Amino acid sequence: MVSTLRDVALAAGVSPATASRALSHPELVAPARRAAVEQAAHALGYRPNRAARELSSGRTGHLCLVVPDVANPFFASLVKGVQARARELGYGVFVADADDDPRLEAELVAQLGAQADGTILASPRMSDDAVAHLSADRPFVLVNRRHEAHASVVVDNTDGMRQAVRHLHALGHRRIGYVGGPAGSWSDARRRDGLEVAAHGLHRLDVVDLGHFPSSRGGGTAAADVVVASGVTAVLAHNDLVALALMDRLRSRGVRIPEEISVVGHDDTVAVLGSPRLTTIAVPLARLGRAAVDRLLDDEPGPDTPLPVELVVRASTAPAPAGGTADAYDDELELEGHRA
Amino acid sequence: MVSTLRDVALAAGVSPATASRALSHPELVAPARRAAVEQAAHALGYRPNRAARELSSGRTGHLCLVVPDVANPFFASLVKGVQARARELGYGVFVADADDDPRLEAELVAQLGAQADGTILASPRMSDDAVAHLSADRPFVLVNRRHEAHASVVVDNTDGMRQAVRHLHALGHRRIGYVGGPAGSWSDARRRDGLEVAAHGLHRLDVVDLGHFPSSRGGGTAAADVVVASGVTAVLAHNDLVALALMDRLRSRGVRIPEEISVVGHDDTVAVLGSPRLTTIAVPLARLGRAAVDRLLDDEPGPDTPLPVELVVRASTAPAPAGGTADAYDDELELEGHRA
DNA sequence: TTGTAAGCGTTATCAA
DNA sequence: TTGATAACGCTTACAA
């Protein structure tokens, strides 16, 4: 049979209260008794009943993590980090997949969040307004998105763009396209900021905004044709999945990568599966997940500096084609280009 | 404030016991009172306290899912299916990532499993012996692995091999290599069975066992050289990740795919990211996850037939090279080949 | 420093 | 069909 705290107390010759304290607040109990209790607990294979503990203390020992799609490698890695850190701290993690439906996300936050000591939400697509109305009574942390109403952990999206643009510029690219993520995405907006900053600092550089695209393979396929039409010699994609599909479509239109067009992905989730291997902006997803847990459980909010990202150069970026199209196109066909 | 059953009972003018029954076992309560309770509950925004319910009833309303690595797309998709079905049935899901450590898996099953109404375990690498010692007191289901001591849900690994071999044979391949998964893998053993069956049914066919390899990219890279040395014109890989790395290495050794060697993956997790797109044996992972939940919660075990898999033909398989090496090698260099 | 005892919110047993 | 009432196992004032 499963033994209770009573059994432990009985075996150790103390009251249930002392047994409880010995296990939960050891510093309040005399060393001798504490040892006796610990030994009895161990001998009986005692495991505290979390339901009873919760009912009495109000704390569940659970964390709740809501993501749009666990099968998306970005979120899967995030789950891994959250899970690892939570385990270290003795928490179990409810993982809720919202199946890419922002309304379901809100519902899950309300439902499962009520059964946990805190909730972590990764939701690039929920509206700011909807985010504002999420439960603020319990600890709550937003991942890779800021919002005035909540705590958050983010990565340095802006700096990632800066690194990538500098890399491409050094390779001689002078006309670089940006395949944006869905409109309204917080990180997409930050990346556009980074693009602007980067473009201003470099010589003779056009950054061309190719528009907003779905952050799926379909987005990359659609973007490819826009890329070709824009005359850029390099592209930054919103994520690796998009970049891979983009390369696929480019190739099938006869464009050689990286000889004719260089491609940069984002996140480093599936970049290594591409052919050629994708140069990408690596995001420390597991660290981000761990940081989310710490932030959730931290009493003092802290400064919340963005986590650093790192450009990983692989085979999909190369020097700009000689006599590249950059100058040829310089004064035509400029879709909202930023100019240095 | 959050309202309790007492509040509902008070508002509805009934006793807490009746309120409880009205909500949990409606058929035991007179329609009039039931309606009153339901209305009061709704009006007060009543949410049952799961801890209290658990303490009293013994049921947690939680399920536990332990996987070796959530960042692996195979398991991520499985999580998605489990999660979806569990939600439909009103359960929350603890997801535990064992970080590819079978010992940790066992610990997680014991720890988190004790806080749930049932546990689902996907563990290709745990030893049969270790599996035998896992908690049998609560409902427990094994995923894609059979074991006499436990219930399980599996896919038809054997038939998948049959489909793939038939496909390759029809394309004229007469010497086909098998890049196996880790030794001890249950599904790998089933696939070898399928290979044998398939080979026996087809004319002039050699299936060459290339050995056991890690189910990671490294495994695929290592396998590539063995593939080249074996003189096969087609390869079946243990999963898509392995197949993709295999193609990478083959290509860098100057082998053209599919012109010189055809490649077949398994699972259809990342097959579409490859270039060329990978022909693969699609496994219904989400369905498998859903089935695991149903099996876990089913009172009557049922027959447990394997879920069907489906060969998806893409660009990585093509007719065998003319004057292919198959016949040339027919009587030499036969590594444990099965012969029809 | 320790023990007594009162809950925590729900379910389930028993009478009525 | 309904209502008291006693658990469920633990934590935490409060008292000693």
Side-chain angles (χ1 to χ4, degrees):
Chain A
M1 272 316 300
V2 46
S3 50
T4 75
L5 192 59
R6 264 187 63 113
D7 302 329
V8 174
L10 229 55
V14 300
S15 75
T18 300
S20 171
R21 277 189 291 253
L23 267 14
S24 303
H25 304 284
E27 72 280 6
L28 299 179
V29 170
R33 314 225 160 190
R34 186 198 312 167
V37 171
E38 281 166 353
Q39 198 218 321
H42 184 78
L44 292 172
Y46 169 72
R47 299 251 187 200
N49 178 319
R50 295 185 92 133
R53 174 173 288 179
E54 172 183 354
L55 194 54
S56 164
S57 71
R59 272 165 281 117
T60 63
H62 305 325
L63 264 30
C64 174
L65 170 61
V66 179
V67 297
D69 178 17
V70 269
N72 177 325
F74 182 96
F75 300 114
S77 294
L78 186 74
V79 170
K80 201 167 163 95
V82 166
Q83 155 66 49
R85 182 59 178 147
R87 201 187 123 63
E88 288 174 7
L89 300 174
Y91 286 85
V93 180
F94 282 123
V95 174
D97 180 307
D99 211 19
D100 273 324
D101 175 359
R103 298 182 49 156
L104 184 51
E105 281 171 12
E107 197 180 320
L108 289 169
V109 167
Q111 244 181 53
L112 270 55
Q115 305 170 41
D117 293 342
T119 299
I120 297 170
L121 171 67
S123 176
R125 287 172 55 194
M126 194 184 292
S127 74
D128 266 347
D129 200 52
V131 171
H133 290 99
L134 294 173
S135 76
D137 50 340
R138 287 164 187 255
F140 183 84
V141 167
L142 232 30
V143 174
N144 209 22
R145 165 175 196 162
R146 285 200 197 285
H147 192 285
E148 49 178 7
H150 303 286
S152 63
V153 290
V154 301
V155 300
D156 200 337
N157 286 281
T158 305
D159 183 61
M161 289 294 113
R162 213 186 41 68
Q163 292 181 45
V165 169
R166 189 181 51 190
H167 165 64
L168 292 172
H169 185 266
L171 286 172
H173 296 273
R174 292 296 176 267
R175 188 171 172 81
I176 299 174
Y178 176 60
V179 173
S185 154
W186 183 86
S187 64
D188 184 67
R190 296 296 76 65
R191 295 188 199 169
R192 287 187 145 82
D193 294 347
L195 248 22
E196 188 135 7
V197 170
H200 279 296
L202 295 169
H203 187 56
R204 279 174 50 76
L205 175 65
D206 272 353
V207 172
V208 184
D209 180 353
L210 269 17
H212 293 282
F213 295 86
S215 55
S216 58
R217 281 187 59 81
T221 307
D225 299 322
V226 181
V227 167
V228 171
S230 71
V232 301
T233 61
V235 201
L236 305 170
H238 182 251
N239 67 29
D240 291 342
L241 224 51
V242 167
L244 256 33
L246 178 62
M247 289 203 297
D248 243 27
R249 174 72 176 179
L250 248 26
R251 204 164 15 227
S252 75
R253 289 201 47 183
V255 177
R256 283 170 306 138
I257 299 164
E259 292 80 1
E260 298 177 63
I261 295 188
S262 288
V263 178
V264 178
H266 204 288
D267 302 346
D268 200 14
T269 50
V270 291
V272 85
L273 300 182
S275 155
R277 307 281 208 77
L278 194 59
T279 291
T280 193
I281 296 160
V283 170
L285 264 358
R287 273 187 64 197
L288 191 62
R290 303 180 74 93
V293 173
D294 285 330
R295 187 133 175 75
L296 191 70
L297 268 21
D298 249 13
D299 294 323
E300 47 213 311
D304 181 21
T305 49
L307 265 51
V309 300
E310 183 184 355
L311 179 75
V312 179
V313 177
R314 298 205 182 91
S316 69
T317 48
T325 51
D327 292 275
Y329 280 83
D330 232 17
D331 291 323
E332 46 176 290
L333 213 163
E334 190 161 332
L335 327 165
E336 311 175 42
H338 306 298
R339 189 55 160 282
Chain B
M1 273 318 299
V2 46
S3 50
T4 75
L5 194 56
R6 263 186 64 111
D7 302 328
V8 174
L10 229 54
V14 300
S15 76
T18 300
S20 172
R21 275 189 293 252
L23 266 14
S24 302
H25 304 283
E27 72 281 6
L28 298 180
V29 171
R33 313 222 160 191
R34 185 197 314 167
V37 171
E38 282 165 352
Q39 199 218 319
H42 184 78
L44 293 171
Y46 168 72
R47 299 250 187 202
N49 178 319
R50 296 186 89 133
R53 175 173 287 179
E54 172 182 355
L55 194 54
S56 170
S57 71
R59 271 164 283 119
T60 64
H62 304 325
L63 263 30
C64 174
L65 170 60
V66 179
V67 297
D69 178 17
V70 270
N72 178 325
F74 182 96
F75 299 114
S77 294
L78 186 74
V79 170
K80 200 165 164 95
V82 167
Q83 156 66 51
R85 182 60 178 147
R87 200 187 124 63
E88 289 173 5
L89 300 174
Y91 286 85
V93 180
F94 283 123
V95 174
D97 180 308
D99 212 19
D100 273 323
D101 175 358
R103 298 182 49 155
L104 184 51
E105 281 171 11
E107 197 179 321
L108 289 169
V109 167
Q111 244 181 53
L112 269 57
Q115 306 168 40
D117 293 341
T119 299
I120 298 170
L121 170 67
S123 176
R125 288 172 52 194
M126 194 184 291
S127 74
D128 267 346
D129 201 51
V131 171
H133 290 98
L134 294 173
S135 77
D137 51 339
R138 286 164 189 255
F140 183 85
V141 167
L142 233 29
V143 175
N144 210 21
R145 166 174 195 163
R146 284 200 197 284
H147 193 286
E148 50 179 6
H150 303 287
S152 62
V153 290
V154 301
V155 299
D156 200 336
N157 286 280
T158 305
D159 184 61
M161 289 294 113
R162 213 185 41 69
Q163 291 182 45
V165 169
R166 189 182 50 189
H167 166 63
L168 293 171
H169 185 265
L171 286 173
H173 295 274
R174 292 298 175 266
R175 189 170 171 82
I176 299 174
Y178 177 61
V179 173
S185 154
W186 182 87
S187 65
D188 184 67
R190 296 296 75 67
R191 295 187 200 169
R192 287 187 144 83
D193 294 346
L195 247 22
E196 188 135 8
V197 170
H200 280 296
L202 296 169
H203 187 55
R204 281 171 51 75
L205 176 66
D206 272 353
V207 172
V208 184
D209 181 354
L210 268 19
H212 293 282
F213 295 87
S215 55
S216 58
R217 281 186 61 79
T221 307
D225 299 323
V226 181
V227 166
V228 171
S230 72
V232 300
T233 62
V235 202
L236 304 171
H238 183 251
N239 66 28
D240 291 342
L241 224 51
V242 168
L244 255 33
L246 178 63
M247 289 203 297
D248 244 26
R249 174 72 175 179
L250 248 25
R251 204 165 14 229
S252 74
R253 288 201 49 184
V255 177
R256 283 171 306 138
I257 299 163
E259 292 80 1
E260 296 178 65
I261 294 188
S262 288
V263 178
V264 177
H266 204 286
D267 302 346
D268 200 14
T269 49
V270 292
V272 84
L273 300 182
S275 154
R277 306 281 208 75
L278 194 58
T279 292
T280 193
I281 296 161
V283 170
L285 264 359
R287 273 188 64 198
L288 190 63
R290 303 180 74 93
V293 173
D294 284 329
R295 187 132 175 75
L296 191 69
L297 268 21
D298 249 12
D299 294 323
E300 48 214 311
D304 182 21
T305 48
L307 265 51
V309 300
E310 183 183 355
L311 180 74
V312 178
V313 177
R314 298 206 182 90
S316 69
T317 48
T325 50
D327 293 274
Y329 281 83
D330 232 18
D331 291 323
E332 47 176 289
L333 212 165
E334 189 160 334
L335 327 164
E336 310 176 42
H338 306 297
R339 190 56 158 283

